[in-house]
Amino acid sequence: MGARTFLVHGLVAGLLAGIAAFVVAYTVGEPQIDKAIALEEAASAPASDGHDHTHADSDESAGHSHGDEAAVSRTAQSTVGLATGTLAVGVVLGGFTGLLAALGLGRLGSLRPAASTALLAAIGAVSFSIVPFLKYPATPPAVGSGETIDSRTAVYFGFVAVSVAGAVAAIALARWGARRWSGVPGVLAGLGAYALVVVVAAVAFPKIDELGDFPAGILWDFRVSSLLTLLAMWAVIGAVLVALVDRTWRRHSDVRARRELAASL
Amino acid sequence: MAHAIPTPAATGSVAPSDLAIPVRELAPWLVLGALFALSVLVLISSVQGAITIPEGTAIHEWVHDGRHLLGFPCH
Ligand SMILES: [Zn+2]
């Protein structure tokens, strides 16, 4: 069981996760995006002169164009474009989670490979996607000003970085605590440390509220669909990776048992 | 848990800690993997149009819906 095997497992899991995320995003998410864009276009219709508004000259909430005059058509954005995004993100998250599972192998207490892999995938989902979503939930098109996109992007990824670093520190603390005391207090210390880091960061990081009078119903539906997309992605990464790692582990221990039997004869 | 014994003919089952892959061996994979993952995430989530390159928003527009639904900032 080497790094290469884990990377391949992770990439396969990520590819399937990207497909699952696309299916969820397309079926539940796209209807909400369409509604939001329709609102956006209705709002900016009087000002529209039919020209393509780009980032440089847009003075309104729209960061970029969406209509028929856009560089990429809505049909492409909602199908192949969406699939490109979910597949690319799925593959890199899956591949990296595979490598993390390789690092976690035999290092998380007495957990067997399938269990340590599942734990790392869950920590990845919580620290990279779910906790950041709670602080900075996804927003549909028509929400957010083009002028603040740079600072919003920086603040979002800053928060993700703090959350992920907090998770890494929490794992280190949990391992240290487990060696020093025992498993349960060690894990509790790790959980407590992560919660503390995230709560302090959530209070310290700026609040972003550019919702204006965007309809609450569409906003809620959009956010649920976004969360479902992220959960589908991580669930498939975790499930497929655990299944593949467990299969490899069984083969590995079979071979080993047979070799030991042969040596003992 | 049985402690790691170098001889192959130990107990029938393998202790999880025997499986640990040395960090020295994993480090280059992790570094490369992290850099690659970050580049893709930056490309998908922002760069074009959001942070750099004022002209040429092709990638930005292409993955637009994915960015919204995966929770990355946009608009
Ligand atoms: Zn957008």
Side-chain angles (χ1 to χ4, degrees), chain A residues 1 7 30 40 55 64 66 74 77-78 81 84 99 103 105-107 111 139 141-144 150 152 157 226 249 260, chain B residues 8 11 14 16-17 19-21 23 26 29-30 34 41 45 50 60-62 64-66 68-71 73-75:
Chain A
M1 298 179 90
L7 179 58
E30 280 300 337
E40 182 183 36
H55 287 274
H64 35 227
H66 285 297
R74 277 300 304 147
Q77 280 184 340
S78 65
T84 309
L99 291 175
L103 183 63
L105 190 65
R107 290 198 169 88
L111 291 186
T139 51
V143 170
D150 282 6
R152 280 186 288 127
F157 281 105
S226 168
W249 147 253
E260 280 165 10
Chain B
T11 55
V14 191
S17 57
L19 294 167
I21 302 167
V23 174
L26 275 175
W29 293 83
L30 283 164
L41 289 176
S45 67
H60 181 77
E61 294 293 346
W62 184 255
H64 175 266
D65 288 18
H68 275 282
L69 283 165
L70 292 170
C74 182
H75 264 70

Side-chain angles (χ1 to χ4, degrees), chain A residues 1-10 98-107 111-118 240-256 259, chain B residues 14-23 25-26 29:
Chain A
M1 298 179 90
R4 188 186 169 278
T5 315
F6 276 87
L7 179 58
V8 172
H9 288 351
L99 291 175
L100 288 179
L103 183 63
L105 190 65
R107 290 198 169 88
L111 291 186
R112 284 159 53 116
S116 63
T117 300
V240 174
L241 191 57
V242 165
L244 291 176
V245 165
D246 197 50
R247 197 183 62 165
T248 306
W249 147 253
R250 279 174 203 286
R251 282 188 188 156
H252 175 88
S253 40
D254 278 359
V255 168
R256 197 150 161 162
R259 212 179 288 147
Chain B
V14 191
S17 57
D18 292 353
L19 294 167
I21 302 167
V23 174
E25 192 190 316
L26 275 175
W29 293 83

Side-chain angles (χ1 to χ4, degrees), chain A residues 101-142:
Chain A
L103 183 63
L105 190 65
R107 290 198 169 88
L108 298 176
S110 55
L111 291 186
R112 284 159 53 116
S116 63
T117 300
L119 179 59
L120 284 170
I123 292 173
V126 168
S127 65
F128 185 83
S129 293
I130 295 170
V131 164
F133 188 96
L134 294 177
K135 172 66 181 169
Y136 295 121
T139 51

Side-chain angles (χ1 to χ4, degrees), chain A:
Chain A
M1 298 179 90
R4 188 186 169 278
T5 315
F6 276 87
L7 179 58
V8 172
H9 288 351
L11 293 173
V12 170
L15 189 67
L16 295 174
I19 295 170
F22 169 74
V23 170
V24 173
Y26 184 78
T27 48
V28 239
E30 280 300 337
Q32 314 313 322
I33 290 195
D34 287 343
K35 283 179 207 162
I37 287 174
L39 282 172
E40 182 183 36
E41 276 170 355
S44 66
S48 176
D49 50 6
H51 288 295
D52 186 22
H53 8 262
T54 59
H55 287 274
D57 62 24
S58 72
D59 53 358
E60 261 218 329
S61 64
H64 35 227
S65 49
H66 285 297
D68 297 329
E69 79 276 25
V72 179
S73 76
R74 277 300 304 147
T75 315
Q77 280 184 340
S78 65
T79 52
V80 271
L82 176 63
T84 309
T86 58
L87 285 175
V89 172
V91 166
V92 295
L93 289 183
F96 196 70
T97 308
L99 291 175
L100 288 179
L103 183 63
L105 190 65
R107 290 198 169 88
L108 298 176
S110 55
L111 291 186
R112 284 159 53 116
S116 63
T117 300
L119 179 59
L120 284 170
I123 292 173
V126 168
S127 65
F128 185 83
S129 293
I130 295 170
V131 164
F133 188 96
L134 294 177
K135 172 66 181 169
Y136 295 121
T139 51
V143 170
S145 138
E147 283 125 51
T148 58
I149 180 69
D150 282 6
S151 64
R152 280 186 288 127
T153 303
V155 156
Y156 176 80
F157 281 105
F159 190 79
V160 171
V162 170
S163 173
V164 170
V168 171
I171 294 172
L173 181 67
R175 292 185 68 214
W176 177 83
R179 276 197 304 274
R180 182 168 177 146
W181 308 302
S182 67
V184 173
V187 169
L188 289 178
L191 283 173
Y194 179 67
L196 185 69
V197 167
V198 160
V199 167
V200 169
V203 172
F205 270 66
K207 184 166 185 61
I208 294 174
D209 184 0
E210 300 182 347
L211 290 174
D213 52 2
F214 190 87
I218 301 175
L219 181 68
W220 172 258
D221 289 346
F222 172 83
R223 285 181 171 168
V224 169
S225 72
S226 168
L227 196 55
L228 285 175
T229 303
L230 290 169
L231 289 176
M233 178 169 286
W234 280 107
V236 173
I237 288 178
V240 174
L241 191 57
V242 165
L244 291 176
V245 165
D246 197 50
R247 197 183 62 165
T248 306
W249 147 253
R250 279 174 203 286
R251 282 188 188 156
H252 175 88
S253 40
D254 278 359
V255 168
R256 197 150 161 162
R258 232 172 283 142
R259 212 179 288 147
E260 280 165 10
L261 183 67
S264 69
L265 289 176

